[in-house]
């Protein structure tokens, strides 16, 4: 074999099943060998990784890079830089930008903005009543998946009706495409918020009171029912409540193709933190009481929850720190801190490093049709690698974040374990904890390598498009008898 581009020697290679001492050879964008150091080919460049761990780069299926439309909050360049410095090598961007990603024209604007990305990316297209007839068109133009905002959030996009949800699932099920759902009941939330506003409540806890657990329970149950009937693939975003986990558990036992994410903030923060952080912690779904934290960890361990995402949702500090909770923008940045915050919990014994790889990379890759190309350090895969020092200790500083949003609930948190180097398709985008600015624009859409499993649509004879014509043998009108026959 001719010389390869890079060999990483002496590291510990982590998968969901094992940790092995191995060297990794990279040529071009892909891994060409993993194994004993003596078996490696010659290389143009070598790197020592003694004492370090090689993880498949994290795949974050839930980010808001705010671009186009809100460049003061974030851009593709700044958001993807934060991803690179957080060990994240692939992101999926949400459609509530301006314009929303519900037309081919809006999609092209987003793809143009994404040309500055440091990391690879997928694009969730908008799924609501207005876009139902454009889903196939959007797929052909480059979206990789869809997002339905059943619960209201930033951008105030209207929730799809139940009829549109079912029809959309019917359209996507035969294509095998997965739909992300923000699962909260919009009607309940809007009514409760209005009543509290009329009563004069502006405290931080009012946001939680407007969005009780029943909002998540009802919405998750509803979307599972509709997706299951159509045989559509479903993904529940930012799962927050212990009370709704039984719905996921039962659906998976029935064979429903539903995947679920939760976020570090739901695992580690609660209303005790809200007492001191106030509106900074306003996000959707809300931060909940302490009783919810451990059941979410348990659900990850059990496989009821599949993956970690961040819901990276940047805003300016001025947009977060307001007296009136209803005027505080929802969300905060999280993509750069996710890995170091979660590795700290691994160091504390919450789970194993192999568990973390399963949640952060393997399961997302499988959910979005990328596994084998991404989510693994094996020959033939993209060389998407986060090289981690599990011994590195530090303190999170919001001022040092790559994100334009310099306000974080993790500010001041002691961490233990962090990515030092990040490679995306064989190229360093972060090295020695420093962003490689020349790598801006290296990121590519994952559309061409995405391969979703064989679709499994159900009840196709009763889909909306199947009932628009009279079935053979059925009289063409409802008049089948005359009055004289009565």
């Amino acid at each position: 074999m001719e010389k390869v581009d890079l060999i990483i020697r002496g590291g510990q290679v982590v998968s969901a099943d094992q940790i092995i001492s191995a060297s990794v050879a990279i040529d071009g964008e892909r891994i060409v060998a993993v194994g004993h150091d003596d078996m490696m080919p010659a290389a143009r460049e070598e790197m020592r990784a003694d004492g370090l761990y090689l993880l498949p780069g994290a795949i974050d299926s839930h980010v808001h890079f705010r671009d186009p439309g809100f460049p003061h909050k974030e851009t593709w360049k700044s958001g993807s830089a934060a991803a690179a410095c957080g060990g994240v090598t692939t992101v999926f961007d949400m459609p509530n930008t301006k314009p929303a990603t519900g037309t081919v024209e809006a999609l092209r604007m987003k793809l143009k903005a994404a040309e500055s990305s440091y990391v690879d990316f997928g694009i969730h297209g908008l799924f609501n009543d207005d876009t139902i007839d454009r889903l196939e068109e959007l797929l052909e133009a480059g979206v990789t998946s869809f997002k339905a905002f059943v619960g209201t959030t930033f951008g105030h996009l209207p929730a799809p009706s139940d009829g549109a949800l079912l029809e959309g699932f019917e359209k996507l099920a035969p294509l095998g495409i997965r739909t992300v759902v923000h699962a909260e009941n919009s009607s309940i939330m809007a009514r409760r918020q209005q009543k509290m506003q009329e009563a004069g409540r502006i405290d931080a806890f009012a946001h939680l009171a407007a969005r009780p657990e029943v909002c998540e329970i009802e919405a998750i149950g509803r979307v599972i029912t509709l997706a299951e009937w159509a045989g559509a693939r479903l993904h529940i975003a930012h799962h927050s409540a212990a009370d709704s986990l039984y719905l996921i558990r039962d659906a998976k036992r029935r064979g429903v193709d539903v995947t679920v994410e939760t976020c570090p903030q739901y695992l580690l923060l609660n209303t005790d933190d809200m007492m001191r952080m106030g509106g900074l912690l306003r996000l959707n779904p809300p931060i909940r009481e302490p009783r919810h934290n451990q059941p979410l960890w348990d659900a990850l361990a059990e496989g009821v929850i599949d993956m970690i995402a961040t819901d990276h949702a940047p805003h300016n500090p001025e947009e977060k720190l307001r007296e009136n909770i209803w005027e505080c923008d929802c969300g905060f940045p999280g993509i750069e801190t996710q890995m170091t915050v979660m590795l700290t919990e691994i160091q504390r014994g919450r789970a194993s490093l192999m568990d973390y790889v399963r949640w952060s990379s393997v399961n997302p890759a499988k959910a979005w049709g990328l596994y084998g190309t991404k989510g693994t350090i094996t020959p033939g895969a993209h060389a998407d690698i986060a090289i981690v020092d599990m011994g590195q200790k530090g303190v999170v500083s919001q001022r040092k974040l790559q994100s334009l949003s310099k306000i974080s609930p993790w500010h001041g948190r002691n961490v233990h374990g962090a990515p030092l180097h990040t490679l995306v398709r064989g190229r360093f985008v972060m090295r020695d904890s420093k962003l490689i600015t020349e790598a801006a624009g290296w990121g590519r859409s994952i559309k061409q390598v995405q391969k979703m499993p064989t679709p499994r649509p159900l009840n196709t004879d009763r889909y909306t498009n199947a009932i628009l014509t009279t079935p053979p043998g059925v009289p063409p009108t409802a008049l089948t008898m005359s009055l004289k026959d009565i």
Side-chain angles (χ1 to χ4, degrees):
M1 179 185 291
E2 296 182 1
K3 286 186 177 182
V4 298
D5 291 327
L6 173 67
I7 293 180
I8 304 170
R9 298 188 185 274
Q12 302 292 306
V13 177
V14 187
S15 70
D17 304 307
Q18 61 181 348
I19 300 175
I20 62 171
S21 297
S23 295
V24 177
I26 298 167
D27 197 46
E29 299 184 354
R30 295 186 182 264
I31 297 166
V32 295
V34 179
H36 194 276
D37 201 47
D38 293 341
M39 303 298 292
M40 292 296 106
R44 297 178 185 87
E45 180 184 358
E46 296 190 2
M47 176 182 184
R48 298 299 311 184
D50 302 275
L52 304 179
Y53 291 83
L54 278 62
L55 280 55
I59 299 172
D60 192 338
S61 54
H62 194 146
V63 307
H64 299 268
F65 281 172
R66 307 298 193 204
D67 191 4
F70 305 95
H72 67 289
K73 296 177 184 286
E74 196 75 288
T75 65
W76 268 92
K77 189 173 184 180
S78 62
S80 65
C85 291
V88 178
T89 54
T90 304
V91 299
F92 285 77
D93 190 61
M94 291 294 170
N96 55 333
T97 42
K98 189 175 182 180
T101 318
T103 66
V104 171
E105 181 182 5
L107 172 63
R108 287 172 179 160
M109 292 175 64
K110 179 166 286 191
L111 289 171
K112 181 66 177 177
E115 289 179 1
S116 62
S117 182
Y118 285 87
V119 302
D120 287 353
F121 56 87
I123 304 292
H124 296 310
L126 181 63
F127 176 157
N128 65 15
D129 289 63
D130 297 330
T131 68
I132 290 298
D133 294 328
R134 296 196 293 270
L135 299 181
E136 294 94 335
E137 182 183 4
L138 285 164
L139 283 168
E140 291 175 2
V143 304
T144 52
S145 36
F146 288 93
K147 171 70 175 286
F149 291 93
V150 173
T152 52
T153 191
F154 178 82
H156 302 290
L157 297 171
S161 63
D162 290 347
L165 268 176
L166 180 57
E167 185 177 351
F169 287 152
E170 291 170 352
K171 287 177 178 288
L172 295 176
L175 303 176
I177 300 300
R178 193 175 299 279
T179 298
V180 183
V181 174
H182 177 143
E184 291 183 283
N185 184 296
S186 291
S187 176
I188 294 173
M189 296 186 301
R191 185 176 182 87
R192 290 168 72 94
Q193 179 174 331
Q194 180 181 348
K195 286 184 173 291
M196 282 189 288
Q197 286 178 300
E198 291 171 352
R201 277 197 68 176
I202 62 171
D203 60 280
F205 280 70
H207 180 64
L208 171 60
R211 307 172 92 105
E213 296 88 345
V214 69
C215 294
E216 190 168 282
I217 296 168
E218 187 281 330
I220 288 177
R222 176 164 35 114
V223 298
I224 285 177
T225 298
L226 298 177
E228 181 177 12
W229 188 85
R233 293 191 168 111
L234 180 66
H235 180 78
I236 302 299
H238 40 45
H239 195 111
S240 69
D243 309 61
S244 48
L245 288 169
Y246 78 95
L247 293 163
I248 306 296
R249 186 177 288 108
D250 291 348
K252 290 194 172 194
R253 286 172 179 165
R254 295 196 305 273
V256 180
D257 192 341
V258 54
T259 54
V260 187
E261 71 186 43
T262 193
C263 309
Q265 52 265 34
Y266 300 118
L267 294 166
L268 297 169
L269 303 178
N270 54 57
T271 48
D272 293 344
D273 302 289
M274 201 184 303
M275 289 294 292
R276 59 188 178 85
M277 295 189 194
L280 169 57
L281 286 190
R282 190 186 187 206
L283 76 161
N284 304 320
I287 296 295
R288 300 193 185 277
E289 297 86 354
R291 72 175 182 86
H292 294 275
N293 295 135
Q294 188 57 46
L296 295 178
W297 281 103
D298 295 341
L300 271 171
E302 184 184 344
V304 174
I305 295 177
D306 301 272
M307 67 191 74
I308 296 292
T310 65
D311 192 7
H312 175 83
H315 301 285
N316 283 349
E318 295 79 7
E319 297 168 323
K320 292 294 299 177
L321 303 179
R322 291 168 172 159
E323 184 178 7
N324 187 333
I325 189 61
W326 311 117
E327 296 174 359
C328 297
D329 281 357
C330 294
F332 44 74
I335 198 167
E336 190 171 348
T337 51
Q338 177 269 120
M339 185 173 287
T340 191
V341 166
M342 290 298 294
L343 292 179
T344 301
E345 298 306 306
I346 300 304
Q347 291 284 42
R348 291 173 177 165
R350 286 269 201 178
S352 72
L353 199 52
M354 294 178 289
D355 291 327
Y356 175 72
V357 165
R358 181 180 303 108
W359 302 334
S360 66
S361 190
V362 174
N363 286 350
K366 290 179 177 179
W368 305 110
L370 301 174
Y371 189 70
T373 300
K374 295 183 181 292
T376 179
I377 300 178
T378 51
H382 280 170
D384 294 349
I385 302 173
I387 303 177
V388 167
D389 182 356
M390 289 300 291
Q392 180 166 304
K393 295 182 178 181
V395 179
V396 175
S397 171
Q398 59 196 13
R399 292 181 293 275
K400 295 181 180 179
L401 296 177
Q402 294 290 332
S403 173
L404 298 182
S405 177
K406 305 298 185 186
I407 184 167
S408 168
W410 309 110
H411 177 67
R413 192 178 188 90
N414 293 316
V415 290
H416 188 180
L420 301 183
H421 319 284
T422 306
L423 294 96
V424 174
R425 286 181 290 106
R427 181 173 181 177
F428 284 98
V429 293
M430 178 180 71
R431 194 161 190 173
D432 297 320
S433 303
K434 295 180 180 178
L435 180 71
I436 306 300
T437 56
E438 296 84 357
W442 177 246
R444 295 288 182 270
S445 169
I446 55 88
K447 181 72 174 179
Q448 298 306 312
V449 298
Q450 184 182 36
K451 296 179 181 178
M452 296 298 290
T454 303
R456 295 183 298 171
L458 299 173
N459 298 306
T460 55
D461 60 325
R462 284 170 282 174
Y463 278 10
T464 303
N465 63 1
I467 63 171
L468 301 182
T469 56
T470 304
V474 174
T477 74
L479 186 61
T480 59
M481 57 188 299
S482 66
L483 291 175
K484 67 181 181 180
D485 296 324
I486 298 176

